[in-house]
Amino acid sequence: MKKTLITASLCLTLLACTTQKQVVKVIPLDENSYINSITQEELRTHLTIVASDKMQGRETGSEGQKMAGRYLIEQYKKAGISFPKGAKDYYQTVPAAYLNEKRNEGLPDSENIWAFIEGSEKPDEIVVISAHYDHVGMKNGEIFNGADDDGSGTVALLEIAQAFQKAKKEGHGPKRSILILHVTGEEHGLHGSRYYTENPLFPLANTVADVNIDMIGRRDENHKDSNNYIYLIGSDYLSTDLYNICENVNTKFTKLNLDYKFNDRADKNRFYYRSDHYNFAKNGIPSVFLFNGVHADYHKQSDEVDKIEFDALTKRTQLAFTIVWEIANRENRLVVDKDGK
């Protein structure tokens, strides 16, 4: 009788172990499931909050911006996405003295906000995805909500991070680590990204690329008839690999019209130098800037959520995800084969 009980117990133990293995079985890779987890509904939900009057235009260092930051952190916690290894929390403080050293605008202390998904095979190699979450605040009692600039990029980062986290939970975490970086002070001179690159949490030598998103929710005058486009700026300045990746993943997945009008070094707008990717690129890190162009509501009170084209915002966010996915999962890190000039 005792022997029979022992045998039965062993059988149950083996069955339990087998069942446990089945529970953690890796789900077959389906990139489209992660791409499609980025949805209009979730982008709209996040943006309606981030670009609401309650955030008071998210001026650098203001209580409204800090409130927006707390919302972002709350979303990362809900998704189970932690702050980076080596950091004590989700904040990188950017001191007022730093923000005001070039032009004393009386800005208070502010914060970059970061989240992190550790790589499974090459965790010390870092792919940065960035967007600024500040805007221009309030003027004469009117709130400038900055739904496109850069509420659109801000919520895109949330969705991209959640897509990577979904992949990780299903056994397909990125080979390289992903640093999600919401930077402050862009509107005052790219201060937050400059501060990060001068005070990096991870060595710049280990930083493989920066994919930067700044205004991807609208269309400009050059594309009145269709929003199925995105401007790519800088992808070929430092790395042929990065340019090819952007082209290839778009052909495979999102099929947007990639417009290189503002990639021209002679372009008078000089957009390449006007968003946060530049602080990475000037340090020799391959960088690409996704941008929908300037529209009539740029830096005006009328840059509101009800003017966002969420179908376009979704496809452009999905493109950014696939670019980061490919950079993070390819066998070799991007080769820097150009001087950026």
Side-chain angles (χ1 to χ4, degrees), residues 127-292:
V127 183
V128 177
I129 181 162
S130 59
H132 71 93
Y133 74 109
D134 63 307
H135 192 51
V136 299
M138 299 176 64
K139 298 178 182 179
N140 300 319
E142 296 183 340
I143 302 172
F144 289 64
N145 282 320
D148 193 27
D149 184 16
D150 186 25
S152 60
T154 298
V155 299
L157 260 59
L158 282 177
E159 284 292 284
I160 291 168
Q162 290 169 10
F164 271 107
Q165 185 69 355
K166 173 178 166 63
K168 185 172 183 176
K169 286 178 179 178
E170 296 180 357
H172 300 294
K175 293 179 180 179
R176 294 176 176 83
S177 296
I178 310 293
L179 177 65
I180 302 105
L181 190 62
H182 298 269
V183 292
T184 188
E186 190 271 354
E187 299 289 3
H188 292 275
L190 315 185
H191 294 325
S193 55
R194 181 167 57 88
Y195 186 82
Y196 177 82
T197 55
E198 291 177 7
N199 303 272
L201 184 61
F202 304 102
L204 294 186
N206 292 355
T207 302
V208 173
D210 174 50
V211 177
N212 183 54
I213 305 173
D214 193 350
M215 298 176 59
I216 60 166
R218 299 278 298 273
R219 72 178 80 184
D220 67 1
E221 287 295 310
N222 297 322
H223 299 87
K224 291 180 180 179
D225 297 329
S226 174
N227 62 22
N228 192 52
Y229 76 96
I230 191 69
Y231 291 109
L232 291 188
I233 303 173
S235 65
D236 63 345
Y237 277 31
L238 286 159
S239 175
T240 303
D241 282 344
L242 179 55
Y243 170 81
N244 288 335
I245 284 170
C246 294
E247 286 282 331
N248 292 341
V249 298
N250 180 62
T251 298
K252 184 177 180 181
F253 295 112
T254 46
K255 298 177 174 57
L256 288 160
N257 294 320
L258 303 184
D259 193 326
Y260 291 98
K261 173 181 173 62
F262 298 128
N263 196 55
D264 185 347
R265 288 162 173 78
D267 178 60
K268 64 181 180 180
N269 294 288
R270 292 174 59 83
F271 288 125
Y272 178 70
Y273 306 94
R274 290 172 55 185
S275 193
D276 293 295
H277 63 282
Y278 179 66
N279 283 314
F280 291 90
K282 74 180 185 183
N283 283 287
I285 297 167
S287 303
V288 61
F289 170 24
L290 281 70
F291 178 51
N292 58 215

Side-chain angles (χ1 to χ4, degrees), residues 6 11 21 24 36 45 53 67-69 90 116 135 204 215 218 223 229 241 248 284 315-316 318:
I6 291 170
C11 289
K21 285 181 181 178
V24 297
N36 293 332
T45 295
D53 286 353
M67 190 180 302
Y90 288 92
F116 189 67
H135 192 51
L204 294 186
M215 298 176 59
R218 299 278 298 273
H223 299 87
Y229 76 96
D241 282 344
N248 292 341
K315 284 192 73 173
R316 294 160 180 171
Q318 291 171 339

Side-chain angles (χ1 to χ4, degrees), residues 37-195:
S37 73
I38 297 168
T39 66
Q40 293 190 42
E41 293 75 19
E42 290 182 6
L43 287 164
R44 186 187 300 273
T45 295
H46 293 314
L47 188 56
T48 299
I49 294 170
V50 168
S52 67
D53 286 353
K54 188 176 181 180
M55 305 302 178
Q56 301 174 349
R58 306 187 307 279
E59 170 66 290
T60 299
S62 68
E63 177 52 32
Q65 189 203 33
K66 293 180 191 298
M67 190 180 302
R70 290 192 291 270
Y71 176 77
L72 298 175
I73 291 169
E74 179 185 335
Q75 301 313 304
Y76 287 121
K77 287 180 177 178
K78 283 183 179 178
I81 302 171
S82 184
F83 50 82
K85 293 180 69 174
K88 61 180 175 54
D89 55 28
Y90 288 92
Y91 294 107
Q92 182 186 37
T93 299
V94 184
Y98 185 91
L99 293 168
N100 293 297
E101 68 181 358
K102 291 195 171 184
R103 298 191 304 269
N104 187 4
E105 298 178 271
L107 297 171
D109 289 350
S110 189
E111 304 83 24
N112 292 332
I113 291 173
W114 48 28
F116 189 67
I117 297 174
E118 186 172 21
S120 59
E121 296 181 19
K122 303 171 188 287
D124 293 334
E125 293 186 14
I126 310 298
V127 183
V128 177
I129 181 162
S130 59
H132 71 93
Y133 74 109
D134 63 307
H135 192 51
V136 299
M138 299 176 64
K139 298 178 182 179
N140 300 319
E142 296 183 340
I143 302 172
F144 289 64
N145 282 320
D148 193 27
D149 184 16
D150 186 25
S152 60
T154 298
V155 299
L157 260 59
L158 282 177
E159 284 292 284
I160 291 168
Q162 290 169 10
F164 271 107
Q165 185 69 355
K166 173 178 166 63
K168 185 172 183 176
K169 286 178 179 178
E170 296 180 357
H172 300 294
K175 293 179 180 179
R176 294 176 176 83
S177 296
I178 310 293
L179 177 65
I180 302 105
L181 190 62
H182 298 269
V183 292
T184 188
E186 190 271 354
E187 299 289 3
H188 292 275
L190 315 185
H191 294 325
S193 55
R194 181 167 57 88
Y195 186 82

Side-chain angles (χ1 to χ4, degrees), residues 275-322:
S275 193
D276 293 295
H277 63 282
Y278 179 66
N279 283 314
F280 291 90
K282 74 180 185 183
N283 283 287
I285 297 167
S287 303
V288 61
F289 170 24
L290 281 70
F291 178 51
N292 58 215
V294 174
H295 45 71
D297 300 305
Y298 174 68
H299 277 196
K300 292 184 179 178
Q301 187 189 11
S302 48
D303 182 6
E304 294 281 10
V305 174
D306 61 5
K307 294 185 179 179
I308 295 294
E309 299 180 53
F310 282 94
D311 57 339
L313 174 56
T314 303
K315 284 192 73 173
R316 294 160 180 171
T317 303
Q318 291 171 339
L319 173 62
F321 168 77
T322 60

